[in-house]
Amino acid sequence: MDATVWAYDLAEELLSDDLPRRWAHSQGVAGRARALAPILGPDAELLEAAAVLHDVGYSPRITDTGFHPLDGARFLRNVERVDERIVRLVAHHSCALLEAEERGLREQLEAEFPIEEPGLVDALIYCDMTTTPDGTSTTTPARIAEIVGRYGPDSIVGRFIRRAEPEIHAAAQRVEHRLTLADPAA
C-alpha cells in the first residue's frame, strides 16, 4: 500500500472518532503539504505522510507522556514501524523542542529522535502553522494568536508558542520564498 494512503488511514483511525477537529486539522495540514510538491521533489510524499500523521500523539489510544510529538513519534516508531524520516518529522514538528523544554522532556526528545533535514522541518512548520484547527488556511500570526487564545498565555503551550514565534515566522518565510522561486509568476 502507498505510504501516503496508509498514513491517511492510520491518522483517520486514531483521530476521526475521538478528535474530529484534530482530524480536520491534520487533513488540512496534509493538503498544504501536497501543495508544496513543486519545491519538495522526491520528498513530497514523505512530507504529506508526516503532515497527516503529525498530531496522532493526541489520540487517547496512544497518549503516554501527554506531549503529543513524543507520544506520536514513539508510537509510529515502536508500534507501526514507520519510516524513520517521517517519525523524526512528527517528533520535531512545529518547534517541538521548545515545548519539550517547557515540559522537561527536551533531553528525551533529542536523545530519541534526531532532527530531520531543515527544508522538510520548515515545510512541516509552514503546513501546520498556516492551517486552522478546522483545516482551513490561515497566516502564521493568526494561527499563533489562535493557539495562545485557546490555551492561555501562561500555559505551557502559550509560553512555548510565543518563544517559537520568531522561528515559525522565519520557517514560513523560507518556504514562501522557495515557492516564489519555483513559480516566479506567483
Side-chain angles (χ1 to χ4, degrees):
M1 180 186 291
D2 175 84
T4 306
V5 171
W6 176 87
Y8 275 89
D9 289 346
L10 179 63
E12 181 177 20
E13 176 188 328
L14 291 171
L15 298 173
S16 65
D17 289 339
D18 295 327
L19 302 165
R21 193 169 188 215
R22 188 70 58 187
W23 171 230
H25 169 71
S26 296
Q27 291 176 85
V29 173
R32 299 288 280 178
R34 202 169 30 260
L36 297 182
I39 65 168
L40 296 175
D43 288 331
E45 285 187 22
L46 177 106
L47 182 71
E48 185 176 351
V52 79
L53 292 168
H54 82 283
D55 274 352
V56 297
Y58 280 113
S59 172
R61 292 184 252 169
I62 66 171
T63 297
D64 178 35
T65 67
F67 180 46
H68 76 280
L70 184 58
D71 292 344
R74 283 176 171 168
F75 172 80
L76 293 171
R77 178 191 64 199
N78 299 340
V79 176
E80 296 294 331
R81 308 279 190 236
V82 173
D83 179 281
E84 179 181 327
R85 295 182 71 204
I86 293 171
V87 170
R88 289 194 308 248
L89 284 166
V90 169
H92 290 283
H93 76 271
S94 299
C95 305
L97 277 177
L98 293 176
E99 185 175 353
E101 190 173 292
E102 290 280 340
R103 295 175 179 274
L105 296 169
R106 184 178 177 125
E107 288 180 14
Q108 285 180 288
L109 186 63
E110 282 182 311
E112 287 186 50
F113 302 102
I115 294 178
E116 184 51 50
E117 187 272 315
L120 288 175
V121 171
D122 280 355
L124 189 52
I125 289 171
Y126 172 82
C127 295
D128 188 20
M129 291 294 145
T130 59
T131 305
T132 68
D134 296 315
T136 60
S137 295
T138 190
T139 63
T140 56
R143 177 81 161 115
I144 290 166
E146 180 276 322
I147 291 168
V148 171
R150 185 165 25 119
Y151 288 95
D154 296 324
S155 68
I156 287 174
V157 175
R159 288 190 311 267
F160 136 73
I161 202 72
R162 286 189 321 235
R163 285 181 56 211
E165 187 171 4
E167 181 52 29
I168 291 167
H169 293 316
Q173 289 172 346
R174 289 188 293 267
V175 170
E176 289 165 354
H177 179 71
R178 289 174 62 196
L179 285 167
T180 300
L181 292 176
D183 183 8

